[in-house]
Amino acid sequence: MPQPTFRSFLGIAKETTFGTPVAATAFLPVKTMTPKDSLALLPDKGIRGSLVDIYDEISGPIFAEYGFDGDAFPDTIGWALTGVLGDLTTTGASAPYTHAMAVLNTGTGQPPSYTLSDYYTINTRQFAGAKFSEVALKFSGDGLVSYNAKATTLTSVPTTAPTPSYTAIPPIAGWVGAVTIGGSAVTYVVDGECTIKRPVTAIHTADGTQAPYALWSGPVSVSGKLTLVMEDDTQLTNYLTNAKPSLDINYAQGTGAAAVQVKAHMSKVAYTNAEITRGKDYIELTVDYEAVANSTDAGASGGYSPVKLTLQNAVVSGTYK
């Protein structure tokens, strides 16, 4: 019998020890889930006097990849953002707590690992050792703030289905946002993206197991794009003069203990492209940017970071990391 897609759900929990699966402690409202176990097959091509190519396929190394996307809830988005950056400082004695995230620059620089629990009706599979390789925040004036995330993990294993429970906080409408460029508020941003990437390498060694010796997180880069109603030449001039203005994308709503926020602050962004477009009844400017690492956006671990992310929600310290 076919199984219903919409009964699926995704859980997540931080790990105490890399690769040791843990039961889900939170559940993410997602729109798509794309798990993929990747088994390398090693072909036996030893010539044996016959006009054939492959005589056998030997099981080689194995790991997995997991992607998901959905609307950006101000509390559940914290796992992916902490997971891709690594440096986290939580302040506040009660809700709302403030979580500041930047690139981790101490020790090995490795961000935390997580276990993803994927329920697909037939079974539940845990993807342990999850290291995030990409998180992209997206917004538009006529939609919800959304995101997509990608992680590299150890191969999946079956487990008992957990009982899901979900955040009571709603997602944020795109029109709520405030964008600031070069310290000045702008009201003409139609849509935009901020994408955080870092390579995750599966290191395979001769250690008696198919699993990777390590899933190793590399350096962080941040880039994005903006679509602007072109009121004047200000942003085009920023591109032509390589001005590197600051960029803030700030979503905040609610008051008191119910206050929430998702904010990306980049002290310096270099416009890598700016193009005037006339595909609509009004003129637009599309801008691509790369965030430049600087010490201002660094977290508690010091060094440099291209972005500082701030979440405000009711999630207590020690939850994300």
Side-chain angles (χ1 to χ4, degrees), residues 86-214:
D87 188 314
L88 172 66
T89 300
T90 300
T91 55
S94 60
Y97 299 94
T98 299
H99 311 275
M101 304 164 186
V103 177
L104 180 63
N105 289 313
T106 53
T108 63
Q110 293 301 291
S113 63
Y114 301 88
T115 296
L116 299 171
S117 295
D118 181 338
Y119 174 77
Y120 53 101
T121 308
I122 299 167
N123 205 346
T124 302
R125 301 194 73 85
Q126 288 182 321
F127 293 78
K131 304 284 285 290
F132 282 94
S133 59
E134 181 176 326
V135 182
L137 293 170
K138 302 179 181 182
F139 66 93
S140 65
D142 59 358
L144 295 173
V145 182
S146 63
Y147 75 102
N148 62 61
K150 298 177 182 178
T152 302
T153 82
L154 302 180
T155 189
S156 65
V157 296
T159 189
T160 303
T163 301
S165 60
Y166 294 95
T167 176
I169 298 175
I172 302 177
W175 61 265
V176 172
V179 179
T180 302
I181 301 176
S184 299
V186 295
T187 59
Y188 47 76
V189 177
V190 177
D191 57 48
E193 297 181 12
C194 179
T195 301
I196 306 167
K197 292 185 178 181
R198 70 185 309 172
V200 177
T201 303
I203 303 174
H204 298 288
T205 61
D207 60 356
T209 176
Q210 284 182 280
Y213 162 76

Side-chain angles (χ1 to χ4, degrees), residues 12-306:
I12 191 169
K14 66 175 182 177
E15 297 176 349
T16 302
T17 302
F18 169 79
T20 300
V22 291
T25 57
F27 296 87
L28 312 180
V30 295
K31 292 182 177 178
T32 66
M33 305 147 72
T34 54
K36 182 183 179 182
D37 285 296
S38 296
L39 170 65
L41 295 179
L42 310 176
D44 173 4
K45 293 188 175 184
I47 297 174
R48 291 165 169 79
S50 297
L51 293 178
V52 296
D53 185 21
I54 296 174
Y55 288 87
D56 199 359
E57 294 281 7
I58 310 302
S59 292
I62 190 168
F63 66 100
E65 296 172 308
Y66 203 104
F68 56 93
D69 63 59
D71 300 318
F73 292 77
D75 49 0
T76 57
I77 189 65
W79 276 273
L81 293 177
T82 303
V84 76
L85 289 172
D87 188 314
L88 172 66
T89 300
T90 300
T91 55
S94 60
Y97 299 94
T98 299
H99 311 275
M101 304 164 186
V103 177
L104 180 63
N105 289 313
T106 53
T108 63
Q110 293 301 291
S113 63
Y114 301 88
T115 296
L116 299 171
S117 295
D118 181 338
Y119 174 77
Y120 53 101
T121 308
I122 299 167
N123 205 346
T124 302
R125 301 194 73 85
Q126 288 182 321
F127 293 78
K131 304 284 285 290
F132 282 94
S133 59
E134 181 176 326
V135 182
L137 293 170
K138 302 179 181 182
F139 66 93
S140 65
D142 59 358
L144 295 173
V145 182
S146 63
Y147 75 102
N148 62 61
K150 298 177 182 178
T152 302
T153 82
L154 302 180
T155 189
S156 65
V157 296
T159 189
T160 303
T163 301
S165 60
Y166 294 95
T167 176
I169 298 175
I172 302 177
W175 61 265
V176 172
V179 179
T180 302
I181 301 176
S184 299
V186 295
T187 59
Y188 47 76
V189 177
V190 177
D191 57 48
E193 297 181 12
C194 179
T195 301
I196 306 167
K197 292 185 178 181
R198 70 185 309 172
V200 177
T201 303
I203 303 174
H204 298 288
T205 61
D207 60 356
T209 176
Q210 284 182 280
Y213 162 76
L215 296 178
W216 193 255
S217 299
V220 174
S221 63
V222 178
S223 62
K225 61 183 180 180
L226 301 171
T227 304
L228 316 167
V229 177
M230 194 172 184
E231 294 185 348
D232 54 39
D233 279 348
T234 301
Q235 303 311 322
L236 179 61
T237 300
N238 279 338
Y239 167 62
L240 294 174
T241 61
N242 194 22
K244 301 185 185 71
S246 61
L247 173 61
D248 287 273
I249 303 168
N250 187 21
Y251 279 86
Q253 63 183 20
T255 59
V260 294
Q261 181 183 40
V262 178
K263 179 181 179 180
H265 171 73
M266 291 155 276
S267 291
K268 297 173 71 175
V269 295
Y271 290 174
T272 58
N273 185 58
E275 182 177 352
I276 299 171
T277 61
R278 298 179 175 87
K280 298 177 181 177
D281 293 336
Y282 54 90
I283 298 173
E284 291 183 323
L285 182 73
T286 57
V287 173
D288 297 328
Y289 68 84
E290 290 182 353
V292 179
N294 62 90
S295 58
T296 301
D297 295 342
S301 61
Y304 289 74
S305 178

